[in-house]
Amino acid sequence: MLRTKQLQKFIPKKWRPLIKKIYVKWHNPLSQKEYNELPALKCTIAYNKYGGYCVPESSQHRPAAQKILFRDVYEPKTIEYLIANCGNGDIVHAGTYFGDFLPALAKNAAQGATIWAFEPNIENYECANVTVLINRLHNVVLHNAGLGCEDKNSYVVTSSPSGKALGGLSKIVDNDSPGQKQTVQLMTIDNIISTERNVSVIQLDVEGYEEYALKGGIATIRRCLPIIIVETSPTSELITGEWFRTNILGLGYKQQQKIHGNIVFIPATKR
C-alpha cells in the first residue's frame, strides 16, 4: 500500500493512518471481530534498502515501524556506525523489536560472526523470526528473552495501562507494574556466549535495564573489550552510577559520541 516515495509525498502525514485503516478494512474479507479473534500473526511485510521486515500490526504507530512501512531506515546513523565498527567479532543486539536492525547487521557482519539477538515481547519476537526468514539470515541467533544479571523468569510490559501496544518500548518490569504483562525468561550474556567467541559490539536498547544486562555480561566485556552502545540519556543513573564508573569506565572505556538516542563507549584499545 502506497509503498513508493512518489505516492507518499502526495499524502499529508496526518491522513496516512486513516487511509491505511480504510485500505485494510476494504481488503479484509472478514469482519473486524473475526479478524481480531484470529490466532494468526497480524503483521505487514515491508522493505527498505537493507531488506524485508515483518512489522507487527499492533505497534505500527511506533516511529521505527512507521519508518520501515514507508521504505525508510530507522536510526540510519546507528546502523551505519555498527556496520563500520563491528570488526571481526560477534554483535550482541538486545531490544530487537521486529528485527529492524537485523538485515543490515547480519548482511554486513564478518564471515563467521554471529548476531546474538534478544527480544522479550513474544509478538515482536515472532515478527523478528519472520524478518530473519524473509532475509535468509543464517548468522542470527534470536532469543525470546531479555538480558539481565542472572538467569531467571521475570515480566515484560507490552502495552500501556490504556491498552496501547508499546512495540519497541516494551520493557522488563516487576509484577506490580501497570499495563499488560507477559512472563519472560532473562538470560545473561556470559552464559549464552561461550568464551571461545569474540564479541566486538554490545548494543542495548532495553528501556532502563542496561545496567542489569551489562552486569550479566561483565566477564565477556572484560575478556573482549567490545564497543558498548546504550540507548539512554546523559543524566541516566546508569552512566552516573557507581557500578558503571567502576566496572565499565574503570576498564578504560570513554564516551566517544552520541548517535540518535544512543551513547557510544569505546575502550582504550580502540581509541
Side-chain angles (χ1 to χ4, degrees):
M1 171 202 171
L2 303 177
R3 294 186 184 279
T4 66
K5 290 184 178 179
Q6 289 83 358
L7 287 174
Q8 290 173 32
K9 67 181 181 180
F10 294 111
I11 302 174
K13 287 185 178 180
K14 65 180 181 180
W15 293 359
R16 290 174 187 171
L18 177 60
I19 291 173
K20 180 186 169 186
K21 288 181 181 179
I22 294 172
Y23 177 89
V24 170
K25 186 174 182 179
W26 185 62
H27 277 68
N28 188 357
L30 302 176
S31 70
Q32 191 63 52
K33 182 176 184 296
E34 289 172 324
Y35 177 74
N36 290 339
E37 291 176 351
L38 278 175
L41 181 65
K42 299 176 178 67
C43 59
T44 298
I45 304 301
Y47 297 83
N48 67 13
K49 67 179 183 179
Y50 290 116
Y53 307 85
C54 177
V55 184
E57 181 181 295
S58 66
S59 60
Q60 287 184 1
H61 59 282
R62 299 299 312 163
Q66 284 288 301
K67 286 285 188 180
I68 299 298
L69 288 170
F70 286 98
R71 289 198 169 186
D72 208 345
V73 178
Y74 183 65
E75 292 197 9
K77 292 182 180 179
T78 304
I79 290 177
E80 289 166 7
Y81 181 91
L82 286 165
I83 290 172
N85 293 277
C86 61
N88 295 319
D90 297 348
I91 299 174
V92 175
H93 170 55
T96 298
Y97 195 11
F98 57 86
D100 51 303
F101 276 30
L102 290 183
L105 298 185
K107 293 175 183 178
N108 289 280
Q111 184 174 3
T114 296
I115 312 300
W116 303 89
F118 300 85
E119 174 51 53
N121 180 318
I122 184 64
E123 181 183 41
N124 293 347
Y125 163 78
E126 289 172 346
C127 286
N129 251 328
V130 177
T131 296
V132 170
L133 291 171
I134 290 172
N135 295 279
R136 299 171 179 162
L137 306 178
H138 303 295
N139 58 346
V140 173
V141 178
L142 176 64
H143 294 276
N144 180 206
L147 285 182
C149 58
E150 59 180 327
D151 292 338
K152 66 175 186 178
N153 290 328
S154 188
Y155 300 89
V156 56
V157 62
T158 60
S159 65
S160 67
S162 65
K164 197 165 189 177
L166 294 175
L169 292 182
S170 300
K171 61 183 179 180
I172 307 299
V173 295
D174 297 325
N175 189 29
D176 58 355
S177 298
Q180 183 177 340
K181 293 181 291 294
Q182 302 167 352
T183 56
V184 66
Q185 182 182 6
L186 296 185
M187 299 177 168
T188 67
I189 294 173
D190 290 340
N191 287 343
I192 288 292
I193 302 176
S194 74
T195 55
E196 298 174 353
R197 307 294 302 181
N198 177 45
V199 176
S200 293
V201 180
I202 295 177
Q203 185 254 327
L204 304 176
D205 182 3
V206 291
E207 306 303 325
Y209 219 69
E210 292 84 6
E211 183 173 318
Y212 298 100
L214 292 172
K215 283 180 177 178
I218 193 62
T220 301
I221 293 170
R222 289 170 179 161
R223 177 173 59 85
C224 301
L225 294 176
I227 294 171
I228 296 174
I229 304 175
V230 291
E231 185 179 64
T232 184
S233 69
T235 57
S236 167
E237 292 182 4
L238 168 71
I239 295 173
T240 59
E242 180 61 32
W243 185 89
F244 191 84
R245 288 198 302 270
T246 300
N247 293 279
I248 302 300
L249 301 184
L251 291 174
Y253 277 87
K254 299 288 184 183
Q255 180 175 323
Q256 182 192 46
Q257 60 179 297
K258 301 174 188 176
I259 311 174
H260 298 293
N262 306 291
I263 302 180
V264 179
F265 294 90
I266 62 171
T269 56
K270 292 183 171 63
R271 291 202 292 273

